[in-house]
Amino acid sequence: MAFGCVSGSVQVYTIDNSTGAMLLSHKLELTAKQYPDIWNKTGAVKLMRWSPDSSVVIVTWEYGGLSLWSVFGAQLICTLGGDFAYRSDGTKKEPLKINSMSWGAEGYHLWVISGFGSQNTEIESDLRSVVKQPSILLFQFIKSVLTVNPCMSNQEQVLLQGEDRLYLNCGEASQTQNPRSSSTHSERKPSREKSPFSDGGLESQGLSTLLGHRHWHVVQISSTYLESNWPIRFSAIDKLGQNIAVVGKFGFAHYSLLTKKWKLFGNITQEQNMIVTGGLAWWNDFMVLACYNINDHQEELRVYLRTSNLDNAFAHVIKAQAETLLLSVFQDMVIVFRADCSICLYSIERKSDGPNTTAGIQVLQEVSMSRYIPHPFLVVSVTLTSVSTENGITLKMPQQARGAESIMLNLAGQLIMMQRDRSGPQIREKDSSPNQRKLLPFCPPVVLAQSVENVWTTCRANKQKRHLLEALWLSCGGAGMKVWLPLFPRDHRKPHSFLSQRIMLPFHINIYPLAVLFEDALVLGAVNDTLLYDSLYTRNNAREQLEVLFPFCVVERTSQIYLHHILRQLLVRNLGEQALLLAQSCAALPYFPHVLELMLHEVLEEEATSREPIPDPLLPTVAKFITEFPLFLQTVVHCARKTEYALWNYLFAAVGNPKDLFEECLMAQDLDTAASYLIILQNMEVPAVSRQHATLLFNTALEQGKWDLCRHMIRFLKAIGSGESETPPSTPTAQEPSSSGGFEFFRNRSISLSQSAENVPPGKFSLQKTLSMPSGPSGKRWSKDSDCAENMYIDMMLWRHARRLLEDVRLKDLGCFAAQLGFELISWLCKERTRAARVDNFVIALKRLHKDFLWPLPIIPASSINSPFKNGKYRTVGEQLLKSQSADPFLNLEMDAGISNIQRSQSWLSNIGPTHHETDTASSHGPQMQDAFLSPLSNKGDECSIGSATDLTESSSMVDGDWTVVDENFSTLSLTQSELEHISMELASKGPHKSQVQLRYLLHIFMEAGCLDWCIVIGLILRESSVINQILVITQSSEVDGEMLQNIKTGLHAVDRWASTDCPGYKPFLNIIKPQLQKLSEITEEQVQPDAFQPITVGKTPEQSSPRAEETRGSSSHGSIPQGEVGSSSMVSRKEEDTAEAEEEEPFQDGTYDCSVS
């Protein structure tokens, strides 16, 4: 009984069954926390109405407003807050005042007569306060199926029913198909391989299905059925979530979510002849329902098969003595509660007699409850469960542990449990068949809990999650939820006789629970979400439309984690071992880290902000508990960063010193978490400490190639240095997978080929160079304060790392490092040319590059002894191909620059791959040139490679291109089998296209920096004699350091020796470049004399070198130009050289400089 008070609260009393006395149960009142501006200003309670199904009460107040509460005080809706009370512009609405209200049939509608305010008729300046005429309003509601059909509480779906439609939460088992029936409807693919209720239990569901959303599977109820049977009274869904049954005034109908079809009674008189009384439930493919047969004036229990026609001929009918009030199914048993206060248990089994499949029902046991139940209508729900006070381990017959152990009865909010009486002699199972077996009697009832609205339990077993699956979950209205949790001894030890084997733990959640996902440790619910649309209306008229007063309401499926509450309750009760067992069983859940974080955060907030001293603080216990998990370090730092700074000291006093935790992260190689600790250290320690730790982290991040983190660390170190420490850098929450495979070269290094050919003079090609300025956050590094100590400190670390990479021959890592962090690679290489950038061992360097770039070592094919390429045919084949290539489309290929003729471009692009007339000039170096193993087919690829490489998004496959050329010219070339084999061998001996682009890029960088020994190594790998030629041209200039030439000479001899013994595949190429090697020896011998008298130009940077060196280096590194053109290249005007030099001397100003090259 509910009494509305003048104060605005509602007092709810229960009536004691034995004495008839009224006892105060709870109060319905608004709290100051939820409604700070209205909670004590509502006036007296004006009207209250219980819904027809007695599951909710609606309350309205004198000064307006409407609220909906569950029986035991959970607030579902209140129109005094949120979008109900405020307009979209933030102004307050006048609350809706209600003169009279009444519920419609089954509680789907609320009829309201509104009246506005006092009867004063004077018109004020504010038009909105003018008296409004009373109106009739109609509110529509949908309700959970649990309100009317409590047997649905063992399902894991949220099913809501409206007057003409059903809402089912999407994405879960409703969309999965039972594999047994998958053959019939193959167009709907099952989203889980196993049946969700197979022995392994329901697998953890995808995160998208677990989170809240507004997507519902809305099933419109068949209008044919509604015509004569409105309103819908019960509905039920099967375990797999594929079939739904609904019951109206008469009969019932069912719907398949797979076929999207309704099935109704073929004979309407059969439908109109039955009234379903006690609800209905699914058992496998059968619908079990209790009904009243109007013709025979008889109470019956009926079972219908889903797949057969809906007709009484296919139903199994059993007569009952009294009206059935409640019905529920557990495993293969049906439990029925009747109007004579008796409970009857039936067994149900599938029977196949001939073509028809039916289910047989037999009475197992009857239990009279009249001694304990004063009136049958006080019973809200009845269910069979496998829950008992004894856990499975201690039962004399453990295999019965998950059988029907007890009956749970909700008697007007009191949860009563009756267990089987196992005190007598036990019957051995094999002695009798199940049907003849006499079931054990039940013990007298025990009260488990008060104020219970719903009960959830499951009979599924899962050894990993016994705690969650064998627990009993209770919803207690305003008091939140309770769980009756089993306690298991560790490692199957004998339990202590004095310890209880179950414990009742209360906890609060923010949603009203409608379903419990047992394995996923989640509670599902549904809330009203509102959308305002008053901005569409102008409020200039005297009357504001009533419909605009109310926002548009949508139903949102919500979910909530409750595990942290249970763990905390166990720790408070010194049951840490049980908490650990429970937590370990759930550690695989995707939100388990969040669970630990929530628990730590809540305990910290409560204890650190408490005004009273806490005699027995929980935080140290929680901290110790979390250390049992590998996520300990992340949990602590995430919690700290979401908590205000004032509480940090209290937190770290319990969990440990942040410096130690930071070092633990580094040892565990968890750099992202370490970066988060750095921010905490920055706030809690002096700058010197955070700089020291930041340096440690920066070096480790460099070593591991975590470039995003490196960029953040550079910013962080600069912030400490320049006193910006009050703005800590944002640490990446999740490390993005950096593509260390590609140098990010094309994103960060813009080689601009975008000018059109008309703007470029024929002999000049403008090359925009932002060689090491990435577009990322470190781009600001080379700012005006580049001479400040902080930048120097960072640069020293970067130089040290680059030196280490070069010493370890890790060129691929060096390329990534330079591209990702905007490192000035060329200028640094110039300084280190005779130190770190020297190649000490050519053979080791060559082997390491082969391995790093996945570049295959060359091999000599068996047929190469008779190869046509050795017998002088190479030239003719090459010439034929070159002649035919003039018609080839790729020669007219316009690169991004729009240059129509590659020969005319004469840009540094020529250095990247030899053009076809270079092959001719190269061949003039001696008769040995006939041994060339570079097939002309690959020339096309080489020329194209940089064009396609400038934009990796173009899907240009070199191999595909090569084969098209072969196909086009196949008839003219008439290649023999051995030639084809040779070509395919040539293609096979190349590495991936990406590696080729990267190697050419590095070649270009080393050329510019003048590290000729590295250029030789890369030339050897690419097996291109033009690169070696080019270096010869450079070495002929007297500016090149003699020591470097000597190093190149000895290195090449070492490679030759290695090729002779270990890698004969390199021999043909080394034979090709023999003349160049001889020239090199001559040059080195010549240079020995002058070097003795001249000062050695060690480490000469391009800025110091003479114009002549600049010019030759520029010309040679930007194109392997045939000998005839070398002379013309020296005609570059002096003015251009000066500007190039001037710009190169100040690369730090803006990071870009133009380099004009002929």
Side-chain angles (χ1 to χ4, degrees), residues 164-191:
D164 60 349
R165 68 197 65 190
L166 300 169
Y167 289 74
L168 176 67
N169 54 320
C170 272
E172 258 148 64
S174 60
Q175 304 304 314
T176 62
Q177 184 180 325
N178 184 347
R180 286 196 296 273
S181 62
S182 58
S183 55
T184 50
H185 304 291
S186 55
E187 74 276 359
R188 180 175 288 274
K189 298 282 192 295
S191 63

PDB file of all heavy atoms in Angstrom, residues 164-191:
ATOM      1  N   ASP A 164       1.472  -3.371 -29.828  1.00  0.00           N
ATOM      2  CA  ASP A 164       1.389  -3.999 -31.152  1.00  0.00           C
ATOM      3  C   ASP A 164       2.760  -4.373 -31.709  1.00  0.00           C
ATOM      4  O   ASP A 164       2.879  -4.705 -32.868  1.00  0.00           O
ATOM      5  CB  ASP A 164       0.689  -3.051 -32.137  1.00  0.00           C
ATOM      6  CG  ASP A 164       1.447  -1.739 -32.290  1.00  0.00           C
ATOM      7  OD1 ASP A 164       2.367  -1.504 -31.487  1.00  0.00           O
ATOM      8  OD2 ASP A 164       1.123  -0.963 -33.199  1.00  0.00           O
ATOM      9  N   ARG A 165       3.787  -4.312 -30.887  1.00  0.00           N
ATOM     10  CA  ARG A 165       5.112  -4.678 -31.389  1.00  0.00           C
ATOM     11  C   ARG A 165       6.001  -5.153 -30.246  1.00  0.00           C
ATOM     12  O   ARG A 165       5.722  -4.889 -29.082  1.00  0.00           O
ATOM     13  CB  ARG A 165       5.770  -3.494 -32.104  1.00  0.00           C
ATOM     14  CG  ARG A 165       6.148  -2.352 -31.204  1.00  0.00           C
ATOM     15  CD  ARG A 165       6.407  -1.086 -31.989  1.00  0.00           C
ATOM     16  NE  ARG A 165       5.184  -0.611 -32.637  1.00  0.00           N
ATOM     17  CZ  ARG A 165       5.154   0.362 -33.543  1.00  0.00           C
ATOM     18  NH1 ARG A 165       6.262   0.933 -33.928  1.00  0.00           N
ATOM     19  NH2 ARG A 165       4.012   0.754 -34.068  1.00  0.00           N
ATOM     20  N   LEU A 166       7.085  -5.844 -30.622  1.00  0.00           N
ATOM     21  CA  LEU A 166       8.061  -6.336 -29.643  1.00  0.00           C
ATOM     22  C   LEU A 166       9.428  -5.742 -29.976  1.00  0.00           C
ATOM     23  O   LEU A 166       9.764  -5.577 -31.151  1.00  0.00           O
ATOM     24  CB  LEU A 166       8.155  -7.862 -29.716  1.00  0.00           C
ATOM     25  CG  LEU A 166       6.875  -8.637 -29.431  1.00  0.00           C
ATOM     26  CD1 LEU A 166       7.063 -10.094 -29.797  1.00  0.00           C
ATOM     27  CD2 LEU A 166       6.490  -8.524 -27.967  1.00  0.00           C
ATOM     28  N   TYR A 167      10.190  -5.437 -28.947  1.00  0.00           N
ATOM     29  CA  TYR A 167      11.550  -4.934 -29.129  1.00  0.00           C
ATOM     30  C   TYR A 167      12.518  -5.983 -28.587  1.00  0.00           C
ATOM     31  O   TYR A 167      12.420  -6.370 -27.424  1.00  0.00           O
ATOM     32  CB  TYR A 167      11.764  -3.638 -28.338  1.00  0.00           C
ATOM     33  CG  TYR A 167      11.054  -2.438 -28.886  1.00  0.00           C
ATOM     34  CD1 TYR A 167       9.672  -2.284 -28.748  1.00  0.00           C
ATOM     35  CD2 TYR A 167      11.763  -1.433 -29.540  1.00  0.00           C
ATOM     36  CE1 TYR A 167       9.022  -1.178 -29.244  1.00  0.00           C
ATOM     37  CE2 TYR A 167      11.113  -0.311 -30.044  1.00  0.00           C
ATOM     38  CZ  TYR A 167       9.743  -0.194 -29.894  1.00  0.00           C
ATOM     39  OH  TYR A 167       9.111   0.916 -30.385  1.00  0.00           O
ATOM     40  N   LEU A 168      13.446  -6.418 -29.437  1.00  0.00           N
ATOM     41  CA  LEU A 168      14.434  -7.416 -29.018  1.00  0.00           C
ATOM     42  C   LEU A 168      15.813  -6.826 -29.251  1.00  0.00           C
ATOM     43  O   LEU A 168      16.065  -6.233 -30.297  1.00  0.00           O
ATOM     44  CB  LEU A 168      14.244  -8.681 -29.866  1.00  0.00           C
ATOM     45  CG  LEU A 168      15.244  -9.805 -29.653  1.00  0.00           C
ATOM     46  CD1 LEU A 168      15.080 -10.385 -28.267  1.00  0.00           C
ATOM     47  CD2 LEU A 168      15.061 -10.883 -30.693  1.00  0.00           C
ATOM     48  N   ASN A 169      16.703  -6.982 -28.255  1.00  0.00           N
ATOM     49  CA  ASN A 169      18.018  -6.351 -28.460  1.00  0.00           C
ATOM     50  C   ASN A 169      18.774  -7.037 -29.583  1.00  0.00           C
ATOM     51  O   ASN A 169      18.843  -8.244 -29.672  1.00  0.00           O
ATOM     52  CB  ASN A 169      18.842  -6.313 -27.175  1.00  0.00           C
ATOM     53  CG  ASN A 169      18.994  -7.664 -26.542  1.00  0.00           C
ATOM     54  OD1 ASN A 169      18.056  -8.427 -26.514  1.00  0.00           O
ATOM     55  ND2 ASN A 169      20.164  -7.967 -26.044  1.00  0.00           N
ATOM     56  N   CYS A 170      19.347  -6.197 -30.454  1.00  0.00           N
ATOM     57  CA  CYS A 170      20.012  -6.666 -31.674  1.00  0.00           C
ATOM     58  C   CYS A 170      21.356  -7.291 -31.382  1.00  0.00           C
ATOM     59  O   CYS A 170      21.943  -7.066 -30.349  1.00  0.00           O
ATOM     60  CB  CYS A 170      20.275  -5.483 -32.592  1.00  0.00           C
ATOM     61  SG  CYS A 170      18.908  -5.149 -33.650  1.00  0.00           S
ATOM     62  N   GLY A 171      21.857  -8.015 -32.405  1.00  0.00           N
ATOM     63  CA  GLY A 171      23.259  -8.394 -32.415  1.00  0.00           C
ATOM     64  C   GLY A 171      23.602  -9.570 -31.549  1.00  0.00           C
ATOM     65  O   GLY A 171      24.707 -10.036 -31.562  1.00  0.00           O
ATOM     66  N   GLU A 172      22.651 -10.053 -30.754  1.00  0.00           N
ATOM     67  CA  GLU A 172      23.011 -11.184 -29.903  1.00  0.00           C
ATOM     68  C   GLU A 172      22.452 -12.456 -30.504  1.00  0.00           C
ATOM     69  O   GLU A 172      22.344 -12.596 -31.680  1.00  0.00           O
ATOM     70  CB  GLU A 172      22.491 -10.956 -28.488  1.00  0.00           C
ATOM     71  CG  GLU A 172      23.619 -10.521 -27.604  1.00  0.00           C
ATOM     72  CD  GLU A 172      23.169  -9.588 -26.525  1.00  0.00           C
ATOM     73  OE1 GLU A 172      22.382 -10.029 -25.697  1.00  0.00           O
ATOM     74  OE2 GLU A 172      23.604  -8.443 -26.510  1.00  0.00           O
ATOM     75  N   ALA A 173      22.073 -13.363 -29.632  1.00  0.00           N
ATOM     76  CA  ALA A 173      21.666 -14.679 -30.136  1.00  0.00           C
ATOM     77  C   ALA A 173      20.504 -14.578 -31.112  1.00  0.00           C
ATOM     78  O   ALA A 173      20.255 -15.488 -31.861  1.00  0.00           O
ATOM     79  CB  ALA A 173      21.286 -15.566 -28.966  1.00  0.00           C
ATOM     80  N   SER A 174      19.791 -13.445 -31.104  1.00  0.00           N
ATOM     81  CA  SER A 174      18.674 -13.309 -32.040  1.00  0.00           C
ATOM     82  C   SER A 174      19.166 -13.414 -33.474  1.00  0.00           C
ATOM     83  O   SER A 174      18.446 -13.834 -34.345  1.00  0.00           O
ATOM     84  CB  SER A 174      18.006 -11.953 -31.838  1.00  0.00           C
ATOM     85  OG  SER A 174      18.930 -10.924 -32.060  1.00  0.00           O
ATOM     86  N   GLN A 175      20.420 -13.010 -33.690  1.00  0.00           N
ATOM     87  CA  GLN A 175      20.922 -13.049 -35.057  1.00  0.00           C
ATOM     88  C   GLN A 175      21.644 -14.352 -35.355  1.00  0.00           C
ATOM     89  O   GLN A 175      22.004 -14.613 -36.473  1.00  0.00           O
ATOM     90  CB  GLN A 175      21.906 -11.888 -35.275  1.00  0.00           C
ATOM     91  CG  GLN A 175      21.337 -10.527 -34.961  1.00  0.00           C
ATOM     92  CD  GLN A 175      20.089 -10.239 -35.740  1.00  0.00           C
ATOM     93  OE1 GLN A 175      20.023 -10.472 -36.930  1.00  0.00           O
ATOM     94  NE2 GLN A 175      19.074  -9.736 -35.079  1.00  0.00           N
ATOM     95  N   THR A 176      21.924 -15.136 -34.328  1.00  0.00           N
ATOM     96  CA  THR A 176      22.676 -16.365 -34.582  1.00  0.00           C
ATOM     97  C   THR A 176      21.695 -17.481 -34.854  1.00  0.00           C
ATOM     98  O   THR A 176      20.593 -17.492 -34.338  1.00  0.00           O
ATOM     99  CB  THR A 176      23.532 -16.739 -33.368  1.00  0.00           C
ATOM    100  OG1 THR A 176      22.646 -16.984 -32.279  1.00  0.00           O
ATOM    101  CG2 THR A 176      24.489 -15.653 -33.028  1.00  0.00           C
ATOM    102  N   GLN A 177      22.157 -18.387 -35.650  1.00  0.00           N
ATOM    103  CA  GLN A 177      21.251 -19.446 -36.065  1.00  0.00           C
ATOM    104  C   GLN A 177      21.704 -20.752 -35.468  1.00  0.00           C
ATOM    105  O   GLN A 177      22.888 -21.031 -35.389  1.00  0.00           O
ATOM    106  CB  GLN A 177      21.288 -19.520 -37.586  1.00  0.00           C
ATOM    107  CG  GLN A 177      20.310 -20.515 -38.122  1.00  0.00           C
ATOM    108  CD  GLN A 177      20.411 -20.526 -39.612  1.00  0.00           C
ATOM    109  OE1 GLN A 177      20.637 -19.515 -40.216  1.00  0.00           O
ATOM    110  NE2 GLN A 177      20.251 -21.675 -40.192  1.00  0.00           N
ATOM    111  N   ASN A 178      20.764 -21.538 -35.067  1.00  0.00           N
ATOM    112  CA  ASN A 178      21.072 -22.860 -34.543  1.00  0.00           C
ATOM    113  C   ASN A 178      21.664 -23.686 -35.677  1.00  0.00           C
ATOM    114  O   ASN A 178      21.035 -23.848 -36.714  1.00  0.00           O
ATOM    115  CB  ASN A 178      19.770 -23.488 -34.050  1.00  0.00           C
ATOM    116  CG  ASN A 178      20.025 -24.827 -33.401  1.00  0.00           C
ATOM    117  OD1 ASN A 178      21.106 -25.381 -33.528  1.00  0.00           O
ATOM    118  ND2 ASN A 178      19.028 -25.326 -32.709  1.00  0.00           N
ATOM    119  N   PRO A 179      22.885 -24.190 -35.518  1.00  0.00           N
ATOM    120  CA  PRO A 179      23.513 -24.911 -36.630  1.00  0.00           C
ATOM    121  C   PRO A 179      22.669 -26.082 -37.122  1.00  0.00           C
ATOM    122  O   PRO A 179      22.772 -26.464 -38.274  1.00  0.00           O
ATOM    123  CB  PRO A 179      24.819 -25.405 -36.023  1.00  0.00           C
ATOM    124  CG  PRO A 179      25.092 -24.491 -34.883  1.00  0.00           C
ATOM    125  CD  PRO A 179      23.758 -24.060 -34.364  1.00  0.00           C
ATOM    126  N   ARG A 180      21.826 -26.645 -36.268  1.00  0.00           N
ATOM    127  CA  ARG A 180      21.036 -27.804 -36.709  1.00  0.00           C
ATOM    128  C   ARG A 180      20.079 -27.423 -37.827  1.00  0.00           C
ATOM    129  O   ARG A 180      19.757 -28.220 -38.664  1.00  0.00           O
ATOM    130  CB  ARG A 180      20.237 -28.362 -35.532  1.00  0.00           C
ATOM    131  CG  ARG A 180      21.098 -29.133 -34.539  1.00  0.00           C
ATOM    132  CD  ARG A 180      20.221 -29.963 -33.636  1.00  0.00           C
ATOM    133  NE  ARG A 180      19.353 -29.132 -32.826  1.00  0.00           N
ATOM    134  CZ  ARG A 180      19.689 -28.623 -31.667  1.00  0.00           C
ATOM    135  NH1 ARG A 180      20.900 -28.840 -31.177  1.00  0.00           N
ATOM    136  NH2 ARG A 180      18.853 -27.883 -30.955  1.00  0.00           N
ATOM    137  N   SER A 181      19.597 -26.184 -37.800  1.00  0.00           N
ATOM    138  CA  SER A 181      18.621 -25.792 -38.816  1.00  0.00           C
ATOM    139  C   SER A 181      19.257 -24.988 -39.932  1.00  0.00           C
ATOM    140  O   SER A 181      18.589 -24.414 -40.751  1.00  0.00           O
ATOM    141  CB  SER A 181      17.519 -24.958 -38.161  1.00  0.00           C
ATOM    142  OG  SER A 181      18.082 -23.784 -37.632  1.00  0.00           O
ATOM    143  N   SER A 182      20.621 -24.957 -39.939  1.00  0.00           N
ATOM    144  CA  SER A 182      21.263 -24.054 -40.891  1.00  0.00           C
ATOM    145  C   SER A 182      21.100 -24.523 -42.321  1.00  0.00           C
ATOM    146  O   SER A 182      21.252 -23.751 -43.246  1.00  0.00           O
ATOM    147  CB  SER A 182      22.745 -23.913 -40.565  1.00  0.00           C
ATOM    148  OG  SER A 182      23.349 -25.179 -40.596  1.00  0.00           O
ATOM    149  N   SER A 183      20.801 -25.796 -42.522  1.00  0.00           N
ATOM    150  CA  SER A 183      20.684 -26.263 -43.896  1.00  0.00           C
ATOM    151  C   SER A 183      19.442 -25.688 -44.568  1.00  0.00           C
ATOM    152  O   SER A 183      19.420 -25.480 -45.766  1.00  0.00           O
ATOM    153  CB  SER A 183      20.621 -27.791 -43.911  1.00  0.00           C
ATOM    154  OG  SER A 183      19.563 -28.207 -43.068  1.00  0.00           O
ATOM    155  N   THR A 184      18.404 -25.418 -43.790  1.00  0.00           N
ATOM    156  CA  THR A 184      17.162 -24.986 -44.420  1.00  0.00           C
ATOM    157  C   THR A 184      17.221 -23.534 -44.857  1.00  0.00           C
ATOM    158  O   THR A 184      16.658 -23.167 -45.858  1.00  0.00           O
ATOM    159  CB  THR A 184      15.994 -25.161 -43.442  1.00  0.00           C
ATOM    160  OG1 THR A 184      16.363 -24.555 -42.209  1.00  0.00           O
ATOM    161  CG2 THR A 184      15.694 -26.613 -43.220  1.00  0.00           C
ATOM    162  N   HIS A 185      17.915 -22.699 -44.096  1.00  0.00           N
ATOM    163  CA  HIS A 185      17.973 -21.276 -44.467  1.00  0.00           C
ATOM    164  C   HIS A 185      19.426 -20.856 -44.569  1.00  0.00           C
ATOM    165  O   HIS A 185      19.979 -20.255 -43.677  1.00  0.00           O
ATOM    166  CB  HIS A 185      17.282 -20.406 -43.411  1.00  0.00           C
ATOM    167  CG  HIS A 185      15.874 -20.832 -43.171  1.00  0.00           C
ATOM    168  ND1 HIS A 185      14.892 -20.668 -44.090  1.00  0.00           N
ATOM    169  CD2 HIS A 185      15.297 -21.448 -42.099  1.00  0.00           C
ATOM    170  CE1 HIS A 185      13.750 -21.154 -43.604  1.00  0.00           C
ATOM    171  NE2 HIS A 185      13.981 -21.632 -42.399  1.00  0.00           N
ATOM    172  N   SER A 186      20.045 -21.216 -45.679  1.00  0.00           N
ATOM    173  CA  SER A 186      21.480 -20.978 -45.761  1.00  0.00           C
ATOM    174  C   SER A 186      21.796 -19.505 -46.017  1.00  0.00           C
ATOM    175  O   SER A 186      22.919 -19.092 -45.899  1.00  0.00           O
ATOM    176  CB  SER A 186      22.076 -21.825 -46.873  1.00  0.00           C
ATOM    177  OG  SER A 186      21.388 -21.556 -48.069  1.00  0.00           O
ATOM    178  N   GLU A 187      20.774 -18.717 -46.391  1.00  0.00           N
ATOM    179  CA  GLU A 187      21.112 -17.317 -46.720  1.00  0.00           C
ATOM    180  C   GLU A 187      21.472 -16.516 -45.477  1.00  0.00           C
ATOM    181  O   GLU A 187      22.127 -15.503 -45.565  1.00  0.00           O
ATOM    182  CB  GLU A 187      19.965 -16.640 -47.483  1.00  0.00           C
ATOM    183  CG  GLU A 187      18.742 -16.268 -46.642  1.00  0.00           C
ATOM    184  CD  GLU A 187      17.788 -17.434 -46.479  1.00  0.00           C
ATOM    185  OE1 GLU A 187      18.052 -18.513 -47.022  1.00  0.00           O
ATOM    186  OE2 GLU A 187      16.767 -17.242 -45.810  1.00  0.00           O
ATOM    187  N   ARG A 188      21.030 -16.974 -44.289  1.00  0.00           N
ATOM    188  CA  ARG A 188      21.407 -16.250 -43.062  1.00  0.00           C
ATOM    189  C   ARG A 188      22.560 -16.995 -42.422  1.00  0.00           C
ATOM    190  O   ARG A 188      22.413 -18.069 -41.906  1.00  0.00           O
ATOM    191  CB  ARG A 188      20.220 -16.190 -42.105  1.00  0.00           C
ATOM    192  CG  ARG A 188      20.541 -15.459 -40.822  1.00  0.00           C
ATOM    193  CD  ARG A 188      19.313 -15.331 -39.979  1.00  0.00           C
ATOM    194  NE  ARG A 188      18.381 -14.380 -40.527  1.00  0.00           N
ATOM    195  CZ  ARG A 188      18.442 -13.088 -40.289  1.00  0.00           C
ATOM    196  NH1 ARG A 188      19.377 -12.594 -39.542  1.00  0.00           N
ATOM    197  NH2 ARG A 188      17.551 -12.258 -40.804  1.00  0.00           N
ATOM    198  N   LYS A 189      23.742 -16.385 -42.489  1.00  0.00           N
ATOM    199  CA  LYS A 189      24.924 -17.065 -41.973  1.00  0.00           C
ATOM    200  C   LYS A 189      24.931 -17.012 -40.447  1.00  0.00           C
ATOM    201  O   LYS A 189      24.667 -15.961 -39.877  1.00  0.00           O
ATOM    202  CB  LYS A 189      26.187 -16.365 -42.488  1.00  0.00           C
ATOM    203  CG  LYS A 189      26.320 -16.406 -43.999  1.00  0.00           C
ATOM    204  CD  LYS A 189      26.806 -17.740 -44.465  1.00  0.00           C
ATOM    205  CE  LYS A 189      27.213 -17.730 -45.912  1.00  0.00           C
ATOM    206  NZ  LYS A 189      26.146 -17.494 -46.830  1.00  0.00           N
ATOM    207  N   PRO A 190      25.265 -18.109 -39.785  1.00  0.00           N
ATOM    208  CA  PRO A 190      25.365 -18.046 -38.325  1.00  0.00           C
ATOM    209  C   PRO A 190      26.565 -17.198 -37.933  1.00  0.00           C
ATOM    210  O   PRO A 190      27.625 -17.318 -38.540  1.00  0.00           O
ATOM    211  CB  PRO A 190      25.573 -19.503 -37.925  1.00  0.00           C
ATOM    212  CG  PRO A 190      26.047 -20.196 -39.130  1.00  0.00           C
ATOM    213  CD  PRO A 190      25.560 -19.424 -40.315  1.00  0.00           C
ATOM    214  N   SER A 191      26.397 -16.324 -36.951  1.00  0.00           N
ATOM    215  CA  SER A 191      27.512 -15.464 -36.579  1.00  0.00           C
ATOM    216  C   SER A 191      28.384 -16.120 -35.534  1.00  0.00           C
ATOM    217  O   SER A 191      29.448 -15.651 -35.246  1.00  0.00           O
ATOM    218  CB  SER A 191      26.998 -14.127 -36.054  1.00  0.00           C
ATOM    219  OG  SER A 191      26.263 -14.343 -34.889  1.00  0.00           O
TER     220      SER A 191
END
